[in-house]
Amino acid sequence: MSTETTDANAEGSSYLSWQTWDRIKHTEWFILLATVVFVSVFPWVFTSAPFVPSELLGYNSLVRRILIWGIFALGFNLLLGQTGMLSFGHAMFFGGAAYATSLFANHVVADPFLAVVVGVLFAVLVAAVTAFPLLRLHTVYFSIVTLAIAQMLFYLAREPLGDLTGGINGLGVDRNALFGVVDLNEPLTGIAGVLWMDYMYLFIAAFFVAVVAFITRVRKSPYGLILKAIRENGTRASFVGLNVWRYKYAAFVLSGFVAGIAGGLMPMETMFTGVNRLHWTTSGDVVMMTVLGGLGTIVGPILGVSVFVYFEGVVNGLDQIGGYWLLTLALAFTAVVWKYPDGIWGMVTNASERLRSQRGDR
């Protein structure tokens, strides 16, 4: 073999090495590309893949719900995983945005995009106001008061404001064509229909990709590094001159902003809003989803959401074990978190590193 051929092979292998993979897998452009690929093939894999038993397929609405809950979990993770602040009341942003979106759609204009924007603005307003008393608190006191505020909004929506919110019966939501042009219920045709089902999925997927790109930019920026420093030790961060309160305030508002996107999309998808979206169980669900998948990452919360919603929507309907889906999920959650505190994504990365160590790749 000639020297030129050997050099060419060595150069080619360097492009395919684990070191190259380690270098590119955390870059922003790769994460954005992987997200686009994910939203492109996920509906087909979830609803139509030939290697999955037919009784586990066909749950089209679950695909859209997973993306919406994924946005919610990413917003929650921005606060807990990035800044170390555990909120037990994130339903205040999710449910608040859902009601603002629904009321705007029913009483002003039922354009899906404008209604979602109004819902997001309401969530940002709630975050900007509640941050002032909440950020005076620390650790468990912060967590408990976030829960108290969310429950206060739940009971306000359920009783005193029942005529406006529909109370325990909930609220039907109007939805017109997007910008008066695109009916989101209209199915796509051809290969687009096989992959993405309808325009509603594309509408939600566009928000999902934008949220992942936004959070990745925040994580990679100096601002994201400062949030990590505050998470590790806020006192030391203040010693170097950082205004810790201001950074926590911004992280809290940004987390409410992203959670508000999910809250605004949900009534546009289901055309219904109920008080359960403000209930403490909604806050608990997003905590469980995020911790199950893995804190502090982009992939982890989405994995946790996928597992949780799959159990709730698919396993729940199976004949033999459907009635035990919550027990099964709780056992799986306990086993994963006990063995791998970094969640499912931590389990995957740990297995990958052990395999590479055995192969002598690192």
Side-chain angles (χ1 to χ4, degrees):
M1 181 179 296
S2 66
T3 305
E4 290 78 5
T5 303
T6 303
D7 292 342
N9 289 338
E11 184 178 358
S13 62
S14 67
Y15 285 116
L16 300 175
S17 67
W18 285 110
Q19 289 75 20
T20 304
W21 167 246
D22 290 337
R23 190 168 60 250
I24 67 171
K25 70 180 181 181
H26 294 301
T27 58
E28 288 186 56
W29 67 265
F30 179 80
I31 294 172
L32 181 60
L33 178 63
T35 305
V36 172
V37 172
F38 169 73
V39 299
S40 298
V41 302
F42 179 57
W44 177 82
V45 172
F46 198 86
T47 64
S48 311
F51 49 82
V52 179
S54 58
E55 61 269 21
L56 301 180
L57 297 174
Y59 294 88
N60 295 0
S61 64
L62 281 188
V63 175
R64 294 188 288 267
R65 285 186 55 203
I66 286 174
L67 292 195
I68 294 173
W69 274 95
I71 294 172
F72 188 17
L74 287 171
F76 175 78
N77 185 59
L78 184 61
L79 188 67
L80 178 59
Q82 196 75 13
T83 319
M85 301 163 66
L86 174 58
S87 165
F88 283 151
H90 247 49
M92 72 173 100
F93 309 126
F94 186 75
Y99 270 115
T101 296
S102 303
L103 293 172
F104 182 84
N106 287 351
H107 299 290
V108 183
V109 59
D111 182 87
F113 181 79
L114 293 179
V116 171
V117 168
V118 170
V120 172
L121 291 176
F122 182 79
V124 169
L125 177 64
V126 171
V129 173
T130 57
F132 286 100
L134 286 171
L135 294 182
R136 296 173 61 88
L137 307 170
H138 302 281
T139 60
V140 69
Y141 303 103
F142 171 84
S143 304
I144 294 300
V145 177
T146 56
L147 173 63
I149 293 175
Q151 282 300 97
M152 181 183 67
L153 294 179
F154 166 77
Y155 285 110
L156 278 174
R158 176 177 165 173
E159 300 294 343
L161 301 178
D163 292 338
L164 184 66
T165 63
I168 59 173
N169 295 318
L171 195 65
V173 180
D174 298 333
R175 191 185 73 199
N176 291 341
L178 180 65
F179 302 129
V181 177
V182 180
D183 181 3
L184 298 181
N185 282 329
E186 185 177 343
L188 296 164
T189 58
I191 186 66
V194 174
L195 286 176
W196 307 318
M197 303 175 296
D198 50 36
Y199 285 101
M200 189 67 208
Y201 176 78
L202 292 181
F203 181 67
I204 296 171
F207 278 98
F208 183 85
V209 173
V211 165
V212 171
F214 171 72
I215 290 181
T216 302
R217 182 83 284 276
V218 171
R219 286 164 52 86
K220 300 292 183 184
S221 68
Y223 172 77
L225 296 177
I226 291 173
L227 292 183
K228 287 182 181 178
I230 293 172
R231 179 190 65 190
E232 297 303 321
N233 195 318
T235 303
R236 290 186 180 179
S238 65
F239 286 165
V240 298
L242 296 174
N243 188 331
V244 173
W245 188 93
R246 190 180 68 182
Y247 284 102
K248 284 186 174 180
Y249 182 85
F252 191 80
V253 173
L254 287 178
S255 180
F257 164 73
V258 176
I261 294 175
L265 287 173
M266 188 60 85
M268 289 294 101
E269 156 63 14
T270 62
M271 302 183 72
F272 175 81
T273 294
V275 290
N276 63 315
R277 287 173 188 162
L278 283 165
H279 198 249
W280 68 267
T281 53
T282 299
S283 300
D285 287 346
V286 78
V287 173
M288 186 173 181
M289 291 170 179
T290 308
V291 174
L292 176 64
L295 282 172
T297 64
I298 296 290
V299 179
I302 299 168
L303 271 177
V305 165
S306 301
V307 172
F308 188 100
V309 175
Y310 189 82
F311 269 75
E312 184 184 39
V314 179
V315 177
N316 187 22
L318 298 179
D319 293 334
Q320 301 298 326
I321 62 172
Y324 304 100
W325 76 272
L326 263 176
L327 175 62
T328 309
L329 180 63
L331 290 173
F333 175 83
T334 304
V336 170
V337 175
W338 172 64
K339 182 67 176 175
Y340 297 97
D342 292 332
I344 297 174
W345 187 238
M347 181 173 62
V348 172
T349 54
N350 185 276
S352 171
E353 289 174 359
R354 281 193 298 177
L355 182 63
R356 289 173 57 178
S357 297
Q358 291 172 358
R359 288 165 50 93
D361 293 326
R362 51 181 305 170

